[in-house]
Amino acid sequence: MCRNILVTGFAPFGGEPVNPAWEAVKRLPDRAAGMELIKLEIPTSFARCVSAVEASVAAHLPDAVLCVGQAGGRACVSVERVAINLADARIADNDGNQPAEQPIRAGGPAAYFATLPVKAMVRNIQARGIPCQLSYSAGTYVCNCVMYHTLHLAAERFPGLRAGFIHVPYLPGQAVSKPAATPSMELSTLVRALEAAVEAIADNPSDIRESMGTIY
Ligand code: PCA
C-alpha cells in the first residue's frame, strides 16, 4: 500500500536556464493514483542534495521516493536501474565542487539497485505513447549521487522505503541553442511520463517479471 510519494526535481545547472526535471515535477498534481505527491526542488550540489532529500524523508515518511533529473543528450525518458558508489564530475556542480574518482560513501557497497518497480514504470510510460527505456547507468554526477544516497538511506534507516530515479531529456527550448541533432521532449510529455511512473509505483508493490536488458 503506497499512501504518499516524495518526487524531487533538480535545480538548473551547467548554465541552463531551467531544469526539465523540476519543471515537470512541479506541474504534477498533488494527488495521483490514490497517493499524495510531495514535490521538492533539490540543489544540484553533491554536498547539499542529500540532506535536502533526507530532511524531507524524515519529515514526511513517504512510502516511496522518485528523484528526477535532466540527462541532456538522451532522447528517451530513462528509468534508472542502478546507482554506483562513484563521483566523477565532468563539470563543477552549483557549489563549484568537481569531485574526481571519489567514492560517494567510503566503504559503502559498490552499487545499489533501484527498489521501485522499474520495468512496470517503463511499460506504463511507453503505454502512453512516450519513448522510454530502462537505463543501467545514472552517470557519475549529482543524479547518481542522490540516487545512491537515497537507496542507502532506505537500506540503513527507513526499511520498506522504495526509491529510484528517472532521467529526462532536454526541453525543446534548451535544444534550440545546441547542435542540430540534439534530442528534446515537450514539457507536457514529461509531465505525462512522470504521472505514468507514479501510477506504476502505486499499482506495483513489486516489479513485473519480464526480460528487458540490453544486448550491447
Ligand atoms: N542532472 C544531472 C545533475 C542534476 C540533473 O538534473 C545528472 O544527471 O547528474
Side-chain angles (χ1 to χ4, degrees):
M1 175 66 180
C2 210
R3 295 165 298 114
N4 56 354
I5 178 168
L6 171 63
V7 189
T8 73
F10 277 101
F13 68 102
E16 295 292 331
V18 292
N19 190 320
W22 175 240
E23 293 304 312
V25 168
K26 75 183 180 193
R27 285 171 174 80
L28 288 170
D30 295 327
R31 289 197 69 81
M35 292 190 298
E36 178 198 359
L37 273 64
I38 304 144
K39 294 164 269 179
L40 178 72
E41 183 180 19
I42 60 174
T44 302
S45 150
F46 281 101
R48 292 182 291 126
C49 64
V50 175
S51 45
V53 172
E54 196 169 333
S56 190
V57 167
H60 297 284
L61 299 176
D63 294 311
V65 182
L66 173 62
C67 301
V68 186
Q70 164 190 301
R74 287 198 193 173
C76 292
V77 172
S78 25
V79 181
E80 300 295 349
R81 181 74 178 85
V82 59
I84 59 174
N85 191 10
L86 177 67
D88 202 13
R90 195 167 49 74
I91 59 169
D93 70 10
N94 286 357
D95 292 337
N97 289 323
Q98 192 173 0
E101 283 293 332
Q102 284 177 22
I104 290 171
R105 277 196 80 87
Y112 280 108
F113 288 126
T115 48
L116 295 178
V118 290
K119 291 180 175 176
M121 292 159 70
V122 169
R123 288 293 183 237
N124 211 35
I125 294 169
Q126 291 173 337
R128 301 206 183 176
I130 301 167
C132 178
Q133 65 188 9
L134 192 55
S135 162
Y136 296 88
S137 173
T140 55
Y141 196 46
V142 185
C143 289
N144 174 71
C145 175
V146 92
M147 183 178 172
Y148 185 94
H149 266 296
T150 305
L151 287 162
H152 182 80
L153 188 68
E156 297 283 308
R157 285 185 40 207
F158 296 94
L161 173 65
R162 296 187 295 160
F165 198 96
I166 287 183
H167 264 123
V168 295
Y170 284 135
L171 295 171
Q174 294 177 279
V176 166
S177 57
K178 302 202 169 49
T182 304
S184 64
M185 209 175 258
E186 283 289 345
L187 181 55
S188 58
T189 307
L190 296 182
V191 175
R192 286 195 301 116
L194 296 184
E195 285 173 350
V198 164
E199 184 181 88
I201 293 165
D203 290 350
N204 294 272
S206 54
D207 207 357
I208 55 175
R209 287 193 73 82
E210 181 183 332
S211 47
M212 203 182 274
T214 57
I215 53 166
Y216 52 82

